[in-house]
Structures are given as structure tokens and as C-alpha cells.
Amino acid sequence: HSKEHHPLYWIDDGNIVLSVPSSTRSCDVLFCVHKSTLTRHSSVFADMLSLPVPPSTEAELYESLPLVDLHDSSEEWEKLLGVLYDPMSFKLERHNPDTPFLLDGIMSLATKYQMSSIRDRIVQHIEADWPLTLEEWDRFEEEIDRKRNFLRSSPDVSDASARTSLDQILPEPVSAIQFAKRHSVPRILPAAFYHLSRMAKADDWDAVRSDAQLHNYSDPTARWKLLTLEEHKVLDRGIRIMMSSAEE
């Protein structure tokens, strides 16, 4: 692979080079950054960079700087370095249905390199999107009703493009469930599964976007096609338990 300097994170006074393959191009992207930034946030880098290089080993260098090859994605490292160097730019939108996709790569890197402050911030944001108590659930329901009533009274309801409006201001349960399982954020699972249990399988995220006439704009949709067989079983079991309890 050819090597390219990153246009933003090749920092003139950096003292370590990270070489990371691009997931979209056939090249390795080089980031010249500060050891102190990496070690302050990552216990993995703190441990790795504190180890002395054995005399018999010749350290790999790039332009006279230590070179570290990483087997990740340069696109995700670009996002991560943005968080490390400019924390205020890391703005997380509440109830964005795409949040699990937007944060998946950064969360993977934060976990892998033990960047606890970044991981904790992401977990707090994900958990804030989902009610964790009955009181929070009541507020969540009230918020959904307010948003639904607003959309029903909107003058744009006849516009097909407005039919998925509710989806843009609510968290999406299937992607949230998979994010929670992949990244060990179990506290949101009960709420996400319960929210999903109240949706019709006909209200599919992809189907609605291919044919807006299939869907009532004021009903949320879910990414049903992403749900695994095991997750389907968990959902069905939960629905049976709720129905059984309601009959008692």
C-alpha cells in the first residue's frame, strides 16, 4: 500500500506516527500526533509507549519518528482524533435514529484502546436516549405523544416526505439493541426491546423509504431486516410474557 499523510492530523510538532489502512482506498493513512495525547486518554498506549525498546530491536521509524502500525480503519481514527483534539466538536444529537451507526466505530476503538472517558461519554449518551426507570418511561411516552400530535397537526402531512418525520426524532430500537449487545451497554435493552414489541413488522424502516405510501407518517418504524434470529426469539418471548401477565 502507498502511504499518505492525513491532511489535518499530520501535526508538525507531533512525535509519533500512526499508520492505519483506509477502509475505502488502497492506501495507509499516516497520522502524526502527540504521544502525550494518546497516553493521557488510553491506558493501552500509556502501557505500550512506556515500554523500553530492547537494545537488540531496531524501532521502526518514519521520518525519524516512531512508527506504529494499527490494524483499524483510518476513517474511524480520523473521527477518534477529532474527539481527542477537539472534544467540543463531539456533539451528540439526542434521539438521533442513526446514533448507533455513527458511534459504532469510535466506540470500538475506545474499547479496544481502553479510552474510558470517551467510552463512558458514549454510554451515557446512548443510555440517555432510552428510559431506564418507569418514571423515565412515562416521560418518554409523553414525548412521543407530543411529537406525534405535532406531526399530525403539521400543514405538511400531505407531503410524502413528511411521512417518516417521527423516525427522525426518535431512537431506533433494532440498531440500539445490536449496539448494546456489541458494546456491552445492557441497561438499554429492556426499553429498546419493549419499544420494538409495540411496532408492527409492516412498519419497516427500509420498506417505508422505498414506498412512503406504505406507512402512516405518525408511526415510528424499525430496522426489522437487521434483527437476528436470536433477537427475534428474545422479542417473541418477551411479548408472550407480557401477554401472559396481562391476562392474569
Side-chain angles (χ1 to χ4, degrees):
H1 283 186
S2 61
K3 295 185 181 294
E4 298 180 5
H5 290 190
H6 189 273
L8 180 60
Y9 295 111
W10 182 269
I11 302 172
D12 289 341
D13 64 348
N15 54 7
I16 187 170
V17 176
L18 308 179
S19 176
V20 193
S22 169
S23 60
T24 60
R25 297 176 294 137
S26 297
C27 70
D28 292 334
V29 178
L30 302 177
F31 302 94
C32 183
V33 294
H34 302 96
K35 292 181 182 179
S36 59
T37 300
L38 297 177
T39 57
R40 183 168 64 252
H41 291 279
S42 165
S43 59
V44 170
F45 276 100
D47 291 342
M48 178 176 67
L49 297 178
S50 68
L51 297 174
V53 178
S56 60
T57 304
E58 185 175 340
E60 190 172 2
L61 301 176
Y62 183 88
E63 297 186 3
S64 302
L65 296 175
L67 175 68
V68 178
D69 290 310
L70 301 177
H71 303 288
D72 305 307
S73 156
S74 65
E75 289 75 17
E76 297 303 335
W77 261 97
E78 177 181 340
K79 297 176 187 176
L80 180 63
L81 289 171
V83 177
L84 297 183
Y85 278 97
D86 187 11
M88 296 303 294
S89 69
F90 190 41
K91 297 178 180 178
L92 303 174
E93 182 183 354
R94 187 166 182 260
H95 287 174
N96 183 339
D98 293 328
T99 289
F101 300 118
L102 296 173
L103 297 181
D104 185 69
I106 294 180
M107 186 66 156
S108 294
L109 292 178
T111 301
K112 178 178 180 179
Y113 295 105
Q114 296 179 18
M115 299 181 175
S116 58
S117 62
I118 295 174
R119 178 182 163 83
D120 290 347
R121 184 176 174 186
I122 292 174
V123 170
Q124 289 171 5
H125 177 75
I126 293 288
E127 290 184 344
D129 270 357
W130 294 95
L132 303 178
T133 66
L134 288 175
E135 183 179 8
E136 290 176 2
W137 186 265
D138 289 340
R139 289 199 296 268
F140 184 69
E141 291 278 12
E142 290 171 0
E143 189 168 0
I144 292 176
D145 288 340
R146 282 197 303 271
K147 291 174 177 177
R148 180 181 282 115
N149 291 335
F150 171 78
L151 290 173
R152 284 174 174 167
S153 62
S154 168
D156 297 325
V157 295
S158 60
D159 183 353
S161 65
R163 291 179 179 267
T164 57
S165 295
L166 192 60
D167 281 337
Q168 306 309 317
I169 49 179
L170 288 177
E172 192 282 314
V174 177
S175 57
I177 288 167
Q178 295 183 340
F179 183 96
K181 292 173 63 180
R182 186 160 54 249
H183 299 295
S184 300
V185 191
R187 296 180 71 202
I188 72 168
L189 287 172
F193 269 112
Y194 178 61
H195 189 45
L196 182 61
S197 74
R198 303 180 305 163
M199 295 184 183
K201 293 184 179 179
D203 288 333
D204 178 75
W205 180 281
D206 294 321
V208 165
R209 281 151 182 77
S210 64
D211 186 353
Q213 300 302 319
L214 293 176
H215 179 59
N216 182 330
Y217 72 94
S218 61
D219 289 335
T221 64
R223 293 179 167 101
W224 284 102
K225 293 178 182 178
L226 299 182
L227 204 66
T228 67
L229 178 60
E230 182 60 32
E231 290 160 353
H232 268 292
K233 291 179 180 178
V234 172
L235 178 65
D236 292 341
R237 186 163 59 248
I239 292 173
R240 288 196 301 271
I241 291 172
M242 288 189 292
M243 292 178 64
S244 177
S245 298
E247 293 171 354
E248 292 178 357

